[in-house]
Amino acid sequence: MQLIQSDTNGFNIPTVTIEDSPRFPWRGALIDTARHFIPVDVIKRQLDGLASAKLNTFHWHLTDDQGWRLESVAYPNLQEKGSDGLFYTREQIKDVVAYANSLAIRVIPEVDLPGHASAIAAAYPKPMTEVQDYQIERKWGVRKPLLDPTKPEVSINSLTP
């Protein structure tokens, strides 16, 4: 489209040879929905912008101290207590990934563990290094909740509410 020219005779496209390739194989943007929830339609609009700028990677930050944005069937407290109800359903995530794929954009999800776990701790405090009542964090900073890898509860197969 950038080559189309117009004059009083109409439109034309010059005969050219283009030899072009990206300087970097990974060209993309990080969108932090863990700290700032963004609706799916806005994410898709951002993906359209990435595609128009010929970017090919969407780094999707989904978990942090300020929110757990992934729906979990096995551990529903993650989205119920760890996101203030602002999370993406499994269907929405599949939809966004399919939409990105249709634009030749790969999706790189980011799930921060064992630290950045305030949202997890608000939902499931038992597997933390220090068991206490936790709240989702609202501000930036270094937080104490850490998953304790020495506890059997930390195993993905045995995490219990």
Side-chain angles (χ1 to χ4, degrees), residues 2-122:
Q2 295 171 340
L3 293 174
I4 296 176
Q5 301 173 354
S6 65
D7 58 26
T8 56
N9 296 324
F11 297 95
N12 61 69
I13 300 173
T15 303
V16 297
T17 301
I18 299 173
E19 293 182 26
D20 187 26
S21 63
R23 182 173 173 195
F24 302 104
W26 180 306
R27 304 170 316 281
L30 178 147
I31 300 178
D32 185 351
T33 61
R35 293 184 180 101
H36 310 282
F37 183 80
I38 299 172
V40 169
D41 62 323
V42 176
I43 291 174
K44 287 183 174 181
R45 188 179 73 220
Q46 295 300 315
L47 289 170
D48 290 336
L50 293 176
S52 71
K54 299 179 175 56
L55 301 180
N56 67 356
T57 304
F58 166 34
H59 180 140
W60 196 358
H61 191 194
L62 290 162
T63 71
D64 213 305
D65 288 310
Q66 292 77 19
W68 182 276
R69 306 299 181 197
L70 299 167
E71 177 186 31
S72 173
V73 174
Y75 308 106
N77 282 352
L78 287 174
Q79 69 264 10
E80 291 170 11
K81 295 181 179 179
S83 73
D84 292 328
L86 299 172
F87 64 94
Y88 304 105
T89 65
R90 296 163 68 190
E91 291 75 26
Q92 288 173 316
I93 291 171
K94 289 177 186 177
D95 180 48
V96 168
V97 171
Y99 188 75
N101 188 52
S102 75
L103 299 171
I105 296 173
R106 75 184 132 204
V107 178
I108 307 294
E110 179 181 342
V111 177
D112 290 325
L113 297 171
H116 303 277
S118 296
I120 299 170

Side-chain angles (χ1 to χ4, degrees), residues 129-149:
T129 54
E130 189 176 323
V131 179
Q132 64 183 43
D133 287 333
Y134 291 98
Q135 302 297 318
I136 299 171
E137 293 296 334
R138 306 294 180 201
K139 298 181 180 181
W140 300 84
V142 177
R143 308 294 175 209
K144 290 186 178 185
L146 294 171
L147 287 168
D148 185 344

